[in-house]
Amino acid sequence: MLEGGIGRALNLAAASLETFAFVSDIGETRKYYQKDLTLETFQLHHGCFQLPTTSGLGVSLLPQYQAQLAQTSSLI
């Protein structure tokens, strides 16, 4: 529901599995954020999301956010 691109990708991956009957609400990126932390955005096409086809969760961080994380010594 209010997940960013990383959490949304994880929810979408889980929702695509046959073993999951009930998953979290998955909304379009633009419904909740003007700008997200991932390059990829999730948009509905005829009522469905397209699954990422790359490895892992299928999303990558924005370069400026990656650079900011690289300069951060601790996130906590």
Side-chain angles (χ1 to χ4, degrees):
M1 200 145 91
L2 293 178
E3 295 89 6
I6 297 168
R8 188 168 286 113
L10 180 63
N11 279 335
L12 189 57
S16 72
L17 299 173
E18 291 180 22
T19 54
F20 278 77
F22 301 101
V23 295
S24 175
D25 285 345
I26 305 172
E28 289 186 301
T29 302
R30 64 183 174 187
K31 183 175 181 178
Y32 300 104
Y33 301 100
Q34 289 180 358
K35 187 176 185 181
D36 202 350
L37 301 177
T38 59
L39 289 170
E40 299 77 15
T41 59
F42 292 96
Q43 298 176 7
L44 289 168
H45 299 282
H46 305 288
C48 297
F49 287 106
Q50 184 166 347
L51 291 172
T53 56
T54 56
S55 62
L57 292 176
V59 294
S60 48
L61 295 176
L62 291 170
Q64 59 267 36
Y65 185 64
Q66 275 185 306
Q68 183 181 352
L69 285 175
Q71 296 175 355
T72 304
S73 59
S74 175
L75 296 177
I76 299 176

